[in-house]
Amino acid sequence: MSTYAIGDIQGCFASFMRLLEHCRFDPAADRLWLVGDLVNRGPRSLETLRFVKALGAAAIVVLGNHDLSLLMAAEGFGKRGKDDTFDDILQAPDREELLFWLRHQRLCHVENGHCLVHAGLLPQWTAAAARALAGEVEAALAAPGWREFLAHLWGSEPASWRDDLTGWPRLRVIVNAMTRMRFCTPDGVMDFRAKGEVGNAPPGYLPWFEAPGRRSADTTLVTGHWSALGLKMLPNLLALDSGCLWGGPLTAVRLEDRALFQVPCSVEEIRVW
């Protein structure tokens, strides 16, 4: 059995299919680890979601910020982006089945020395602690009051973690760290305004994975989210968003031996701004 970790798909279904063919992925024997952002910005979010859902146990999925944006938009919460392309899902006859499935996916997955999470982990969290905190969010998304949780999810405050946080602020920090973070201070204060390359870090901030003393450094983090960072393979980091949507390749790494697989983005999937 091989495990293929794949970067942000974001509705780039044609590239996704070519990458699976390139990997010779066998759903009967292999597994996919998908870093989140299955949907949005690309042209075929509906087909992507249907395909991954049909894989069943062959796919381990963690939620990304665009996946959560879809869930919020379906209930009328949050802010729709002018470039959103998930209306095909919202108008689909199997909409409720797909959204129910998406709402019950993980926020973080830890297995065999690897931690799969969309954006990253705050410096204070071990992988085991992050898995426990992710469980709190997953429980809220699956609970009878899940709509109320989505109604309180939007926002960037608090910007840092405290163990005594409770309620919606506690869950919001967990979600924002795991699905939106790029830069933070050494003690874990997040910035959500700065984007782009590592050199764009505001004064006093650094990429989350460079935080000194980061407590998850003994685990290999498998992430996406940061297309401007590009593919980055360190001993304890596999950052796999290589910017397929922006003309870069779609990337997979086989976790057992770190073999790299890439396919170029299909022309019809590249965003033109």
Side-chain angles (χ1 to χ4, degrees):
M1 181 183 79
S2 296
T3 305
Y4 298 96
I6 296 181
D8 304 38
I9 300 168
Q10 293 199 246
C12 293
F13 185 69
S15 295
F16 182 34
M17 291 298 97
R18 287 189 291 106
L19 182 59
L20 294 185
E21 182 178 358
H22 181 41
C23 295
R24 298 186 179 180
F25 169 69
D26 178 1
D30 302 327
R31 286 197 304 169
L32 297 182
W33 279 26
L34 303 178
V35 302
D37 280 3
L38 298 179
V39 303
N40 209 18
R41 301 284 179 83
R44 298 167 70 181
S45 291
L46 177 60
E47 289 167 276
T48 301
L49 210 56
R50 284 174 172 165
F51 179 86
V52 175
K53 177 179 177 294
L55 288 173
I60 301 292
V61 178
V62 294
L63 294 168
N65 54 301
H66 284 284
D67 306 314
L68 290 168
S69 291
L70 167 61
L71 292 173
M72 286 190 286
E75 300 301 322
F77 304 132
K79 297 180 181 179
R80 290 291 303 270
K82 60 182 176 61
D83 304 305
D84 286 346
T85 61
F86 48 57
D87 282 338
D88 54 352
I89 298 171
L90 298 178
Q91 296 166 7
D94 53 346
R95 157 194 162 124
E96 295 307 321
E97 180 183 344
L98 292 169
L99 294 175
F100 179 89
W101 173 83
L102 189 63
R103 184 163 53 83
H104 286 80
Q105 299 311 299
R106 299 166 174 87
L107 190 66
C108 171
H109 176 71
V110 178
E111 183 181 339
N112 294 333
H114 292 81
C115 176
L116 178 69
V117 65
H118 182 61
L121 299 183
L122 285 169
Q124 303 97 313
W125 297 343
T126 63
R131 177 52 241 155
L133 293 172
E136 297 181 26
V137 173
E138 293 159 8
L141 279 170
W146 60 271
R147 288 183 177 85
E148 187 178 4
F149 169 57
L150 290 177
H152 288 86
L153 184 54
W154 183 266
S156 298
E157 296 293 335
S160 60
W161 174 253
R162 297 196 323 269
D163 288 337
D164 61 352
L165 284 172
T166 61
W168 307 128
R170 178 182 178 90
L171 297 181
R172 193 181 304 120
V173 170
I174 298 168
V175 169
N176 283 343
M178 295 190 188
T179 69
R180 296 179 58 205
M181 177 174 61
R182 294 182 180 91
F183 299 108
C184 68
T185 64
D187 57 353
V189 179
M190 295 177 281
D191 176 89
F192 298 111
R193 296 180 300 274
K195 298 183 180 181
E197 298 178 357
V198 168
N200 293 348
Y205 289 77
L206 71 170
W208 66 268
F209 53 85
E210 293 181 0
R214 177 169 61 86
R215 297 189 66 200
S216 60
D218 61 347
T219 304
T220 298
L221 273 287
V222 183
T223 69
H225 182 58
W226 199 344
S227 60
L229 180 67
L231 174 66
K232 194 172 187 68
M233 300 176 66
L234 302 175
N236 61 0
L237 176 69
L238 294 172
L240 303 180
D241 186 358
S242 46
C244 178
L245 191 68
W246 313 111
L250 186 63
T251 295
V253 171
R254 190 165 57 209
L255 296 185
E256 289 77 14
D257 60 1
R258 289 200 167 205
L260 178 66
F261 302 84
Q262 292 184 309
V263 296
C265 182
S266 297
V267 173
E268 69 273 12
E269 294 171 339
I270 299 174
R271 294 304 301 263
V272 179
W273 299 95

